[in-house]
Amino acid sequence: MAKKALKSQAARNTSILNRSLLISAGIHTLYHLLRLLLSPQRSLYRYIPLSLPSILIQFWFERIGRPRYGPTGEAQKAGEDLEAKGLTEWMWDVVYWSWGCIGGAAVLGDWVWWFYVVIPLYSAWLAWTTFAGAKRGMAGMTGGTDEGGAPGQAGSKRQQKMEKRGAQKVQYRQ
């Protein structure tokens, strides 16, 4: 049972990368087949730059996530966690949305590429909510003042209820 976590991480990463490779190959093949058979006027000028981010992200995931095996066949490096929160999760969202746009463009036509605009909008929304959350978190570090700048309203709800009932007021030291 030595290195059980390393082995399970390596197996999980291999499974995720193989699945994403097959899905990506299938979607891109579908696009090109339908483009050649049904509508040769579909634009490669849109396809190439709009599918490039998902392809680059997948190459990046292959580089950081694919396990490395030694000469004996034992996993030496499991690779980075491909199910991590934060940037990795956002990158998977970009890949999934790109696949959806490619599949939609293959079936419905080139106008579906306009849905790709959602990615920058989603990124801006994530950045704004992250910034707003950090701003709110930093507001608690201002020394316990309320909106008007007067001290006294800091503390838990329980403390505020006790003070409201007439219990002894809690004094905060500076």
Side-chain angles (χ1 to χ4, degrees), residues 76-112:
Q76 290 179 335
K77 182 180 175 210
E80 298 294 324
D81 185 12
L82 296 177
E83 296 175 340
K85 300 288 182 199
L87 185 61
T88 305
E89 186 178 37
W90 175 80
M91 290 168 79
W92 278 115
D93 291 342
V94 171
V95 169
Y96 297 148
W97 192 257
S98 297
W99 288 347
C101 289
I102 293 168
V107 175
L108 301 172
D110 277 346
W111 65 271
V112 177

Side-chain angles (χ1 to χ4, degrees), residues 97-161:
W97 192 257
S98 297
W99 288 347
C101 289
I102 293 168
V107 175
L108 301 172
D110 277 346
W111 65 271
V112 177
W113 290 115
W114 284 103
F115 286 119
Y116 212 81
V117 172
V118 170
I119 291 175
L121 295 175
Y122 176 63
S123 301
W125 177 77
L126 279 178
W128 175 254
T129 56
T130 302
F131 172 73
K135 186 177 173 184
R136 244 189 329 270
M138 297 296 278
M141 301 171 79
T142 60
T145 60
D146 63 359
E147 296 291 323
Q153 288 298 321
S156 67
K157 287 185 178 182
R158 181 175 178 267
Q159 288 174 339
Q160 291 174 4
K161 284 181 183 179

Side-chain angles (χ1 to χ4, degrees), residues 29-106:
T29 303
L30 174 75
Y31 178 84
H32 290 295
L33 280 176
L34 290 178
R35 180 183 170 272
L36 290 174
L37 295 175
L38 299 177
S39 182
Q41 71 270 15
R42 291 196 181 153
S43 174
L44 281 178
Y45 295 115
R46 289 187 192 111
Y47 168 78
I48 292 171
L50 294 173
S51 65
L52 197 60
S54 69
I55 293 170
L56 292 176
I57 289 172
Q58 285 185 273
F59 280 132
W60 175 250
F61 284 156
E62 280 287 332
R63 180 157 161 60
I64 67 166
R66 185 67 68 178
R68 307 280 188 260
Y69 295 97
T72 61
E74 186 176 320
Q76 290 179 335
K77 182 180 175 210
E80 298 294 324
D81 185 12
L82 296 177
E83 296 175 340
K85 300 288 182 199
L87 185 61
T88 305
E89 186 178 37
W90 175 80
M91 290 168 79
W92 278 115
D93 291 342
V94 171
V95 169
Y96 297 148
W97 192 257
S98 297
W99 288 347
C101 289
I102 293 168

